[in-house]
Amino acid sequence: MFNKLLDDNVDASTVSLLAFWYSHQEVCVRWQNTLSDIFTVGNGVRQGGILSPMLFARYIRDVLTRISGEGIGCNIGGVFYNILAYADDMVLLAPTWFALQQLLNVLVKCCNGIDMSCNLKKTVCMVFNPTCRNKIVSRSFPLFKLGDTTLQYVTEFKYLGHIINNSSTDDADIKREIRNMFMRTNILVRKYGKCSVSVKIMLFKSFCLCMYDTALWNKFNTGSMNKFKSCYNKCLKLFFGYKRSYSVTQMLSELELPSFETVLFNGAVTFKRMCSTSVNKLIVNMCMIMVM
């Protein structure tokens, strides 16, 4: 990585400082009020460091450039995409089995060149069937190879916290969000149940209204969303001490908190605004396709 920075004409003294810094890393683990023994970390970027995303992006830039230049990918808005990257998560996209295996072969060569390995426990394959059933080519495919390892097909996988499946439905992700809200609320009740109402409102807004992926939901059963709404109202009553039979409308009015529908609406509006102002060509093309 440091050689790559020097190739980019980064000041040598800055690179030397980073090299010394990363070769003398010592960390410990804290569990509640107890600290473990100090141990040395000899590889990887610093967890939570401001420079870490930039350094890692530079480290894998050659990998991304090589794969994106293969001329293989999925046509979205007239542009071919074959790899999506966010921090240390990468997704390969290909229209055929043979094309994806080619991309995997290139990925292995590039990773070996920079002494980086893929997490085989988190590397899986997923096939998305077309909406039109008569366009389905096959319902089974040969297993992919990543180096000497055989990859497995899955029907469901959690990526960046969002559960996706090969049927493109969001019911499983809604259930995940329901579990998270109950879990967060129970923690709040246990630790902050005796706080004032104003403090509770601030805590609930901070820990229970951060549902960043709700704007992605567009295909689900009505029952799943009704369960989520019921979960939202139950968590409010539980944390703020209201009886189960108390009017939800009256409760929201007294607490000056948004209704479930308002939370979803605000999330969708914010998401659409961010997409409409994005300069990323993929996002712009996807927005155009969704509108059409």
Side-chain angles (χ1 to χ4, degrees):
M1 180 180 69
F2 303 120
N3 289 332
K4 293 178 183 296
L5 293 176
L6 291 173
D7 293 338
D8 291 345
N9 295 321
V10 176
D11 184 72
S13 59
T14 302
V15 177
S16 298
L17 175 62
L18 290 173
F20 177 83
W21 189 12
Y22 273 90
S23 61
H24 293 78
Q25 291 186 103
E26 293 183 341
V27 299
C28 63
V29 178
R30 182 175 67 180
W31 177 257
Q32 295 184 352
N33 296 323
T34 304
L35 296 178
S36 70
D37 295 333
I38 295 176
F39 56 94
T40 302
V41 177
N43 59 358
V45 294
R46 293 172 63 88
Q47 185 73 23
I50 297 175
L51 286 176
S52 297
M54 181 184 300
L55 294 174
F56 184 78
R58 177 60 188 93
Y59 188 70
I60 65 169
R61 189 174 70 188
D62 295 339
V63 177
L64 302 179
T65 302
R66 173 68 187 280
I67 293 177
S68 61
E70 282 297 304
I72 302 171
C74 296
N75 188 332
I76 302 177
V79 181
F80 283 90
Y81 296 92
N82 58 14
I83 184 168
L84 306 177
Y86 182 84
D88 59 343
D89 287 287
M90 289 187 288
V91 176
L92 295 177
L93 301 173
T96 65
W97 182 95
F98 183 74
L100 185 55
Q101 184 60 63
Q102 281 188 283
L103 294 180
L104 289 171
N105 296 337
V106 174
L107 177 64
V108 171
K109 291 182 180 179
C110 293
C111 289
N112 291 338
I114 60 174
D115 194 25
M116 186 177 75
S117 60
C118 297
N119 189 337
L120 298 176
K121 293 182 179 180
K122 295 182 178 180
T123 305
V124 296
C125 303
M126 185 178 294
V127 178
F128 296 92
N129 290 324
T131 304
C132 186
R133 293 183 179 274
N134 60 9
K135 293 184 179 180
I136 296 178
V137 178
S138 176
R139 298 189 180 277
S140 62
F141 296 88
L143 295 177
F144 288 98
K145 299 280 288 186
L146 184 63
D148 298 326
T149 304
T150 300
L151 302 181
Q152 300 299 317
Y153 288 99
V154 297
T155 58
E156 184 177 289
F157 189 71
K158 181 184 285 188
Y159 180 65
L160 298 179
H162 185 87
I163 297 178
I164 57 176
N165 54 43
N166 61 351
S167 61
S168 300
T169 57
D170 299 301
D171 296 281
D173 198 59
I174 294 175
K175 291 180 181 178
R176 175 197 59 78
E177 198 64 56
I178 292 174
R179 292 193 299 268
N180 286 344
M181 178 161 286
F182 276 128
M183 178 188 68
R184 296 189 191 110
T185 302
N186 286 330
I187 292 175
L188 291 178
V189 171
R190 187 171 66 251
K191 291 188 175 183
Y192 308 103
K194 296 183 180 180
C195 291
S196 63
V197 174
S198 59
V199 172
K200 285 185 175 182
I201 290 174
M202 180 185 67
L203 290 171
F204 192 84
K205 287 181 177 179
S206 300
F207 290 96
C208 297
L209 296 186
C210 299
M211 299 177 286
Y212 74 96
D213 60 346
T214 57
L216 300 176
W217 299 339
N218 63 358
K219 187 179 179 182
F220 49 81
N221 292 325
T222 304
S224 297
M225 192 58 73
N226 289 338
K227 289 180 180 178
F228 192 18
K229 179 179 179 179
S230 176
C231 164
Y232 179 79
N233 295 332
K234 286 180 180 178
C235 288
L236 278 171
K237 290 182 178 181
L238 176 65
F239 186 41
F240 290 96
Y242 285 90
K243 294 182 179 179
R244 297 183 64 179
S245 58
Y246 198 82
S247 169
V248 174
T249 303
Q250 183 65 27
M251 175 185 64
L252 294 174
S253 176
E254 294 173 359
L255 298 174
E256 297 183 351
L257 285 173
S259 65
F260 177 74
E261 291 80 5
T262 301
V263 173
L264 295 187
F265 178 79
N266 290 341
V269 170
T270 302
F271 178 72
K272 290 179 180 179
R273 185 187 303 120
M274 293 175 63
C275 291
S276 62
T277 58
S278 175
V279 295
N280 186 293
K281 291 183 179 179
L282 175 60
I283 295 178
V284 173
N285 288 332
M286 290 299 297
C287 289
M288 293 177 61
I289 293 174
M290 291 169 62
V291 171
M292 296 171 60

